[in-house]
Amino acid sequence: MTTSQTSRGSHASYGTVPYSPEPDYGTPAVGTAPTAHVTIDGIGVDVAAGTSVLRAATEAGIEIPKLCATDSLKAFGSCRLCLVEIEGGKGTPASCTTPCVDGMVVSTQTGQVRDVRRGVMELYLSDHPTDCPGCARGNCEMQGLARQVGVAEVRYGLDGANHLSDPVDVSNPYFAYDPKACIVCSRCVRACSEVQGTFALTVEGRGFDSRVSASGAPSFLESECVSCGACVQACPTDALTEKSVIELGMPTRSVDTTCAYCGVGCSFRAEVQGTGDETRVVRMMPSKAGGANEGHSCVKGRFAYGYASHRDRQLSPMVRDSIHDEWRATSWDEAIERIATGFRDIQTRHGIGAIGGISSSRCTNEEVYVVQKMVRAAFRNNNIDTCARVCHSPTGYGLNQTFGTSAGTQDFASVDHCDVMLLIGANPTDAHPVFASRMKRRLREGARIIVADPRRIDLVRSPHVEATHHLPLLPGSNVAFINAMAHAIVTEGLHDEEYLRSRCENVHEYLAFIVSEENSPEATAAATGIDPAELRAAARLYAAGPNSAIYYGLGVTEHSQGSTMVMGLANLAMITGNVGREGVGVNPLRGQNNVQGSCDMGSFPHELPGYRHIGLDDVRGIYESMWGLPLDPEPGLRIPNMFDAAIGGSFRGLYVQGEDIAQSDPNLNHVREALTSMELVVVQDLFLNETAKYAHVFLPGTSFLEKDGTFTNAERRLNRVRPVLPTRTGKDEWEIVCDIATAMGFTMSYPDAAAIMDEIAATTPTFAGVSFARLDAEGSMQWPCNDRAPLGTPTMHVGEFVRGKGRLIPTVYVPTTETTSRRYPLILTTGRILTQYNVGAQTRRTANETWHPEDVLEIHPADAEVRGIRSGDRVELTSRVGTTTLHALVSERMQPGVVYTTFHHPVTGANVVTTENSDWATNCPEYKVTAVQVGVANAGDEALAQAAEAVTSR
């Protein structure tokens, strides 16, 4: 039995409890101090004025029957079960819609109240199946409520008009809608509008004919429903039920853990049956206590967890001598010895720097930490990098240069106080859907949004949400755009001079730069494609605020000037005084579940954990003292440097943890050449991915349901990840890394994952106050968490910046060298879609394939017409470095001259066509700007040339 299997004690099991639903207080909390004393059934309780009587009663331990009320939704008052009597009042008001006032006296069980409740309940039961499977199963509240209110029989009989023969809608792959069990309480409809913000559900018809309808479509699958699960979670009956619950029955226990998809970092209760190897996940329920999601979820986190038990999972180590050989299953001992011997041999022949490692943003902080430790202490070099190199490395550089730390400034709740949002280079409804729902809620409350994106994303216009300004800037012109915004603000005197005077440095140099006419909206219009008057109006709106916040994604960072643009965003926030309080800030929306954490843990070749440079003697000394050996003070190779060196012959061995670089990195032909040039490639993953085709050793990884550790989300929030299932491979991933390091001559071991976090806290000041024990007790915390901020830091840079004063940096616009030509007249930009995730290794092995079975190319009607392209045609996408084929979707979401695709399917290989152009400071690839040509596949060179001629002659 391995160390990890024997050491999963109190920390791993904390959060594992017998199943019971989370408490439901009926209506949302009122966030003020208690000022009203009310007496309910003789029990006194102090609550905030305006708290509903229903919630006050629940807080006092008094249960009032309810059906239409739940604490995630505003009070509705339609079910008429939560009736009470109020001393001095008239009738029997609904407790959910009755606010508490000081001195109120409430009775919940008078004779009149009980009689009315029984009558109402009888009416519900007269149209409810007597053999309701949900009631028998335990997920339908009807029979329990009938017993609670004292209904033993239904006087109205069961022979009248009813809905008991209505067919069940099983079209959605994850849940069923059974109208026979529906009581039309509207909880699902309200959850779709109030929580999710999609407004896909409605109640159609009147009276007896009322029923829930999904967008008026024939079925849920054909509707606008995004399968977030909010409706299923809200439903009090068996009308909306997870298919997994129908198949398996109700769970018997639950484990608190964290989602392993995007950077929102949603907290979940994994609700399961059985123990040990017999454990089965029944469903994933979003946790109300989740600091990032507060009880909401998306289709991926809520339903797409089946990949963990997919038949493609590899559970044994495998080896082969050549990438052309078949894999051979082997023991852990043989695989680890093969790796250690091979890496040592390469170093003997080619030098210490001939091997390196890539850490994963899908693994825990603890797993990532030991990988960088293995590289530095066992490999004895700094050739460690992470997938953040190809996504948010410019965020780390740009925010560190301007603010002094490499992370976003706010928590997600900050958006509730925002008046103006500037959203650029991000599509939250697809890539960060739970946070997008929060943004939409704030917009419905009156906040305004500026969307700067070449594509018309959903937040430009969707139900009850419309951008004040959509600025469809041309790909590659970000820096020109942000300079024009700042120019308009400064030249019109809208900047915050006091803030600049007291909190910023380099002010005069920056202001002199930005007021230059070359940065004006008029001068930059040719580059950005944005009407100067529209841009100036957007700049005035952002400057006026009063609370303006910037949210951005990979459309900012994945450019040749990605780092410059991040600094430009920081400049814009500083000149308007929008850093250092709630409702403002500069907020990167991180792509993967632990991309923030992988950077925090020292996965860059020039930085140790906590973003401290490897060349600093005092920092390096902390680790040299703890690890007992000297460390190389020189930064190592970045991922692109590793590839170039491999082709050049000096880099010969690579360990890859949970990243599919042969699908996700740019110019895949170059990546594949680099991988085939190496003598030993080790891949550690759940599946035999594209990179594994070039590997010599494959090590099976663990899914998030098997991990014990922490993830850090986009708001710097550390959440616990707890094992829901036993480790199927026999070893935890951190233990495998320790075994490799030990076999290479550097002894590395830990009793459990908690001990790894203890080492991180002992050596990294921003994590000094973090431990599994604290996270288990407090739920989550946001770094920095130390003596100065013992409770964590929701908002950064309050009072002063981490570096002292914020640093304004001139951001000169330098056009990308990736330009269009007659041969390549279009610009390709890339992104993500709601139902798939990253390279699709996880989501493609779930029913999410139902919605997005392939990558498609979006092309504007004008560009499609001159090429003879129609939706559904198979087209050839060609750039200066490669060609791929995929189906076309003619869409006005794109502007003329720009095409768009996703990269979730390896069969498409979208990154075959992306180039090696990269950010000047970090080598982050320029995925968002690739000059391409598009033509009907197999049309021939002559047809493609004719298409190019048609474009140039328009």
Side-chain angles (χ1 to χ4, degrees):
M1 185 173 287
T2 66
T3 302
S4 63
Q5 297 295 293
T6 60
S7 64
R8 288 189 169 196
S10 59
H11 291 298
S13 60
Y14 192 100
T16 302
V17 296
Y19 172 75
S20 64
E22 287 190 276
D24 189 340
Y25 292 88
T27 59
V30 176
T32 56
T35 58
H37 181 81
V38 297
T39 303
I40 305 175
D41 291 346
I43 300 174
V45 59
D46 294 317
V47 296
T51 299
S52 73
V53 169
L54 176 59
R55 186 179 183 95
T58 307
E59 292 180 4
I62 299 167
E63 186 175 0
I64 298 177
K66 64 184 187 301
L67 275 172
C68 72
T70 183
D71 57 15
S72 62
L73 304 173
K74 298 173 185 175
F76 197 56
S78 69
C79 75
R80 310 310 294 170
L81 275 182
C82 70
L83 307 177
V84 295
E85 287 191 25
I86 299 173
E87 189 176 282
K90 295 181 180 180
T92 53
S95 61
C96 65
T97 57
T98 302
C100 292
V101 295
D102 190 42
M104 178 182 282
V105 178
V106 180
S107 297
T108 72
Q109 294 294 334
T110 67
Q112 181 184 9
V113 165
R114 289 197 296 267
D115 287 344
V116 175
R117 282 185 190 148
R118 281 194 295 268
V120 171
M121 195 68 210
E122 284 186 79
L123 288 171
Y124 282 125
L125 292 174
S126 69
D127 196 17
H128 190 76
T130 56
D131 58 349
C132 172
C135 290
R137 197 186 298 119
N139 67 293
C140 181
E141 300 175 17
M142 294 296 286
Q143 286 187 9
L145 284 171
R147 288 191 297 269
Q148 184 181 352
V149 303
V151 175
E153 61 181 358
V154 178
R155 293 171 292 170
Y156 306 107
L158 302 173
D159 299 326
N162 58 55
H163 299 87
L164 301 182
S165 61
D166 288 2
V168 180
D169 180 354
V170 295
S171 60
N172 188 286
Y174 293 123
F175 61 84
Y177 168 55
D178 185 354
K180 294 188 294 294
C182 181
I183 59 172
V184 199
C185 65
S186 294
R187 273 168 61 164
C188 60
V189 176
R190 291 180 288 136
C192 188
S193 58
E194 294 178 27
V195 178
Q196 168 57 27
T198 297
F199 294 85
L201 303 184
T202 188
V203 175
E204 65 178 16
R206 296 175 65 86
F208 176 80
D209 294 324
S210 299
R211 63 175 292 146
V212 171
S213 170
S215 309
S219 68
F220 264 84
L221 185 61
E222 298 168 87
S223 74
E224 296 172 358
C225 168
V226 294
S227 299
C228 68
C231 60
V232 181
Q233 187 176 355
C235 182
T237 72
D238 197 38
L240 286 162
T241 304
E242 300 93 339
K243 288 183 175 179
S244 57
V245 170
I246 295 172
E247 177 187 353
L248 301 174
M250 291 295 284
T252 57
R253 62 186 178 90
S254 64
V255 182
D256 293 336
T257 191
T258 303
C259 180
Y261 281 115
C262 78
V264 174
C266 296
S267 297
F268 276 87
R269 287 159 42 105
E271 298 184 351
V272 304
Q273 296 172 344
T275 59
D277 292 337
E278 302 301 315
T279 303
R280 295 186 299 182
V281 178
V282 176
R283 62 186 177 188
M284 299 292 289
M285 289 291 282
S287 173
K288 294 180 184 179
N293 59 316
E294 297 180 0
H296 191 35
S297 60
C298 79
V299 61
K300 295 188 288 291
R302 181 73 156 87
F303 296 116
Y305 53 84
Y307 69 88
S309 55
H310 195 273
R311 61 183 178 276
D312 289 348
R313 275 286 299 270
Q314 300 298 316
L315 304 178
S316 300
M318 297 186 292
V319 297
R320 58 184 178 181
D321 294 327
S322 164
I323 64 172
H324 304 293
D325 295 339
E326 294 295 319
W327 286 107
R328 174 175 63 84
T330 188
S331 67
W332 279 109
D333 288 344
E334 181 186 352
I336 289 167
E337 181 58 31
R338 171 78 174 273
I339 295 166
T341 301
F343 279 161
R344 284 198 305 263
D345 178 61
I346 288 172
Q347 288 184 310
T348 298
R349 291 183 289 111
H350 297 283
I352 293 295
I355 63 174
I358 299 174
S359 71
S360 173
S361 292
R362 292 188 287 125
C363 290
T364 65
N365 287 315
E366 295 72 22
E367 291 166 337
V368 171
Y369 177 86
V370 296
V371 169
Q372 65 86 32
K373 181 176 179 179
M374 172 184 72
V375 171
R376 292 192 161 102
F379 292 9
R380 291 174 292 149
N381 63 46
N382 291 311
N383 294 337
I384 174 68
D385 212 347
T386 183
C387 79
R389 174 66 55 208
V390 299
C391 60
H392 268 287
S393 52
T395 286
Y397 181 88
L399 294 184
N400 189 50
Q401 291 294 310
T402 51
F403 294 164
T405 191
S406 301
T409 61
Q410 315 294 124
D411 62 1
F412 289 141
S414 173
V415 77
D416 297 344
H417 305 276
C418 178
D419 301 302
V420 177
M421 305 173 203
L422 171 58
L423 177 68
I424 178 168
N427 185 9
T429 54
D430 278 10
H432 305 88
V434 171
F435 180 62
S437 293
R438 192 162 198 158
M439 295 175 80
K440 288 190 287 185
R441 184 174 67 206
R442 180 60 183 153
L443 291 170
R444 294 195 302 272
E445 292 170 346
R448 302 169 78 180
I449 187 168
I450 303 161
V451 176
D453 198 289
R455 187 166 174 257
R456 196 182 71 236
I457 62 173
D458 285 349
L459 284 175
V460 172
R461 188 174 187 181
S462 57
H464 301 277
V465 168
E466 184 169 9
T468 305
H469 301 282
H470 175 215
L471 308 176
L473 72 170
L474 294 171
S477 66
N478 285 350
V479 173
F481 160 73
I482 207 67
N483 285 348
M485 288 279 286
H487 175 94
I489 289 169
V490 173
T491 56
E492 294 185 24
L494 303 177
H495 54 299
D496 190 331
E497 294 184 354
E498 173 55 32
Y499 188 93
L500 292 174
R501 187 181 306 110
S502 61
R503 295 205 50 184
C504 301
E505 64 183 28
N506 208 29
V507 175
H508 296 300
E509 179 184 350
Y510 174 78
L511 293 181
F513 158 77
I514 206 64
V515 299
S516 172
E517 180 59 27
E518 67 184 13
N519 292 317
S520 71
E522 292 73 20
T524 57
T528 64
I530 300 172
D531 175 58
E534 183 85 357
L535 191 149
R536 285 185 179 276
R540 294 179 191 121
L541 177 62
Y542 176 84
N547 286 340
S548 295
I550 296 169
Y551 294 95
Y552 72 92
L554 302 183
V556 161
T557 57
E558 291 178 344
H559 287 272
S560 61
Q561 281 199 288
S563 292
T564 308
M565 181 58 180
V566 173
M567 293 187 289
L569 293 174
N571 289 339
L572 189 70
M574 285 188 286
I575 65 172
T576 54
N578 279 305
V579 184
R581 64 181 186 277
E582 284 189 316
V584 299
V586 180
N587 306 282
L589 298 176
R590 300 280 189 163
Q592 297 199 58
N593 56 298
N594 201 38
V595 69
Q596 179 69 59
S598 68
C599 300
D600 298 342
M601 292 299 109
S603 291
F604 288 133
H606 66 293
E607 288 176 334
L608 286 159
Y611 305 99
R612 294 166 296 166
H613 200 279
I614 189 71
L616 297 175
D617 293 343
D618 58 336
V619 174
R620 204 170 59 256
I622 296 171
Y623 295 93
E624 291 176 337
S625 175
M626 176 169 282
W627 298 348
L629 80 171
L631 299 179
D632 186 349
E634 293 299 320
L637 299 177
R638 298 172 174 179
I639 291 173
N641 306 139
M642 294 181 193
F643 294 159
D644 291 342
I647 294 171
S650 61
F651 189 83
R652 311 297 295 174
L654 180 65
Y655 164 86
V656 185
Q657 177 197 41
E659 292 299 332
D660 196 1
I661 54 177
Q663 185 183 344
S664 63
D665 282 41
N667 192 356
L668 290 184
N669 293 327
H670 181 74
V671 175
R672 292 162 183 166
E673 182 183 0
L675 289 170
T676 54
S677 299
M678 298 184 202
E679 298 178 31
L680 178 58
V681 175
V682 180
V683 168
Q684 185 167 329
D685 214 308
L686 301 177
F687 308 104
L688 285 170
N689 57 22
E690 294 300 298
T691 307
K693 293 177 179 178
Y694 306 93
H696 306 88
V697 180
F698 181 86
L699 303 176
T702 55
S703 76
F704 83 107
L705 292 172
E706 301 151 54
K707 293 184 185 296
D708 187 18
T710 57
F711 292 151
T712 307
N713 74 352
E715 51 174 357
R716 297 169 283 102
R717 185 183 302 277
L718 285 97
N719 272 316
R720 284 282 279 118
V721 184
R722 297 183 180 87
V724 177
L725 305 173
T727 301
R728 299 183 66 193
T729 65
K731 283 181 181 285
D732 288 318
E733 290 197 36
W734 59 262
E735 184 186 8
I736 298 166
V737 174
C738 289
D739 289 346
I740 295 171
T742 299
M744 291 189 68
F746 176 74
T747 302
M748 197 160 84
S749 66
Y750 299 91
D752 52 28
I756 303 174
M757 178 51 75
D758 290 343
E759 182 172 316
I760 295 167
T763 55
T764 313
T766 50
F767 293 89
V770 178
S771 68
F772 279 22
R774 282 201 65 189
L775 290 170
D776 288 341
E778 300 176 25
S780 67
M781 56 184 64
Q782 293 170 262
W783 67 259
C785 182
N786 47 35
D787 290 342
R788 294 183 60 186
L791 301 179
T793 312
T795 303
M796 295 284 285
H797 316 297
V798 177
E800 68 174 358
F801 288 89
V802 169
R803 67 182 306 278
K805 286 195 171 186
R807 182 184 175 205
L808 289 158
I809 300 175
T811 49
V812 177
Y813 169 56
V814 179
T816 175
T817 59
E818 180 66 9
T819 57
T820 57
S821 64
R822 180 174 176 178
R823 186 171 184 181
Y824 303 107
L826 303 174
I827 289 293
L828 169 71
T829 190
T830 61
R832 300 183 179 185
I833 201 162
L834 171 65
T835 54
Q836 295 287 0
Y837 170 71
N838 203 26
V839 296
Q842 294 149 272
T843 44
R844 283 187 286 105
R845 292 177 170 90
T846 71
N848 280 27
E849 279 284 271
T850 303
W851 292 281
H852 188 75
E854 63 175 332
D855 296 317
V856 298
L857 185 75
E858 290 186 20
I859 183 170
H860 190 272
D863 295 320
E865 181 181 3
V866 297
R867 292 168 172 80
I869 294 172
R870 295 173 297 179
S871 287
D873 285 350
R874 190 150 194 88
V875 297
E876 191 170 82
L877 178 69
T878 303
S879 74
R880 293 180 173 96
V881 299
T883 299
T884 189
T885 59
L886 65 172
H887 287 107
L889 175 64
V890 179
S891 169
E892 291 188 349
R893 279 191 168 220
M894 301 309 302
Q895 55 185 294
V898 181
V899 293
Y900 170 89
T901 191
T902 52
F903 53 92
H904 303 302
H905 294 266
V907 67
T908 304
N911 283 323
V912 167
V913 303
T914 53
T915 71
E916 291 179 87
N917 272 23
S918 65
D919 174 51
W920 63 272
T922 66
N923 286 128
C924 181
E926 192 174 36
Y927 290 114
K928 304 306 182 189
V929 184
T930 304
V932 296
Q933 177 59 288
V934 179
V936 176
N938 302 318
D941 292 341
E942 183 178 348
L944 289 174
Q946 290 174 354
E949 180 66 31
V951 172
T952 55
S953 63
R954 271 197 312 202

